[in-house]
Amino acid sequence: MTGKELKSYCRRCGGSRHHETLSEHAFPWSESDAPIEGNDTWSVIQCAGCRTVSFCHTHWFSEDYEATEDGGYRVIEHRDLYPPAPPRRMPEWGADLFHALTMQQQWVRGLHSDIYAALGMKAYSLAAMGIRTLVDFVVTSKAGDYGTFSDKLARLRQRGLTEAQEKITDAAFDAGSAAAHRGHIPTMKEAYLMLDIAEKLFEQFYIEPSLEGQRKKDADRLRANTPPRVKPPKKE
Ligand SMILES: [Zn+2]
């Protein structure tokens, strides 16, 4: 039904917003030889605030249900949005990350946004593998590409990594390795925790030093444009 209003996540506003349904088609289905049924509804919806348009797939299946507090059960209705919308915004580093990386390192920015796309699609294993690569990038680029990951972390301790951070970083790297090599599927919470750890490392070793360099240049420019102090004449 077009014109219908609903609340849905807006990837531009970054939260749940009122939306208007521009177009909608429902496809209910059932099996003739088994008591199961379901429904797929495809719709085009538009945010009532910023006018961003999303494609929405709402679906349920009679065998996919959860227990309710009163002892009954209810069928779970899933809603998938396209383009995939991760439940949190990327950090507002913008140009800061661009300036903090060399031209050869710019691929990291693409990987960072790919991780958000994977999280939006609930592809937590892929996100974890990508986050592991981000963590490895920061640690290896700042500590030198030799020795084991633990050796690199130990060297990073001399560049400001605390003992607690060393353990946290190692935990994030190991969770990514488990996803890549040991068949581990992280939960959404674990994937976001790993991302927090990776982004904190970026802030500490790339964003903050780059901003400090910029502030130093600004201070030099400020000093150059400031008239020098005039020395008071000496008393006769
Ligand atoms: Zn919006």
Side-chain angles (χ1 to χ4, degrees), residues 10 12-13 17 47 49-52:
C10 174
R12 190 159 170 210
C13 294
R17 297 289 186 275
C47 174
C50 72
R51 299 286 163 200
T52 294

Side-chain angles (χ1 to χ4, degrees), residues 10-84:
C10 174
R11 65 184 177 281
R12 190 159 170 210
C13 294
S16 182
R17 297 289 186 275
H18 284 289
H19 281 70
E20 186 190 349
T21 305
L22 303 181
S23 172
E24 185 175 275
H25 296 278
F27 298 94
W29 59 269
S30 59
E31 295 286 338
S32 56
D33 54 352
I36 57 172
E37 58 178 338
N39 182 67
D40 291 276
T41 299
W42 303 89
S43 51
V44 177
I45 58 174
Q46 185 174 38
C47 174
C50 72
R51 299 286 163 200
T52 294
V53 173
S54 303
F55 189 53
C56 178
H57 179 206
T58 308
H59 53 105
W60 59 266
F61 167 46
S62 55
E63 302 307 292
D64 181 15
Y65 53 84
E66 61 188 357
T68 55
E69 281 174 4
D70 59 6
Y73 73 91
R74 72 170 150 253
V75 170
I76 304 169
E77 187 179 76
H78 299 276
R79 298 183 76 246
D80 301 324
L81 293 172
Y82 303 91

Side-chain angles (χ1 to χ4, degrees), residues 99-230:
H99 291 301
L101 298 167
T102 66
M103 287 316 286
Q104 288 76 28
Q105 292 172 332
Q106 293 297 327
W107 61 271
V108 172
R109 294 168 61 236
L111 174 63
H112 190 209
S113 65
D114 284 353
I115 289 166
Y116 274 79
L119 288 169
M121 287 188 287
K122 301 183 176 64
Y124 301 127
S125 300
L126 286 178
M129 290 178 220
I131 295 165
R132 176 189 185 271
T133 305
L134 279 188
V135 171
D136 194 29
F137 166 79
V138 177
V139 172
T140 300
S141 63
K142 293 296 173 187
D145 192 9
Y146 57 96
T148 63
F149 187 72
S150 300
D151 295 338
K152 292 174 192 171
L153 280 182
R155 288 202 296 279
L156 219 52
R157 287 285 303 278
Q158 289 150 22
R159 301 192 59 167
L161 195 78
T162 65
E163 190 180 347
Q165 281 180 310
E166 183 180 354
K167 285 183 183 151
I168 291 166
T169 306
D170 194 45
F173 186 79
D174 192 48
S177 300
H181 305 298
R182 306 199 289 272
H184 174 60
I185 299 174
T187 62
M188 181 182 93
K189 213 172 159 188
E190 286 170 344
Y192 276 97
L193 189 63
M194 291 174 67
L195 186 61
D196 283 340
I197 295 168
E199 288 179 345
K200 278 274 171 299
L201 277 180
F202 261 97
E203 275 170 24
Q204 184 175 353
F205 289 99
Y206 277 92
I207 306 295
E208 260 311 307
S210 170
L211 287 178
E212 197 169 277
Q214 189 57 46
R215 282 194 289 265
K216 200 170 163 294
K217 274 186 208 160
D218 291 344
D220 289 344
R221 208 172 301 128
L222 186 68
R223 193 180 295 283
N225 289 334
T226 305
R229 287 190 193 96
V230 180

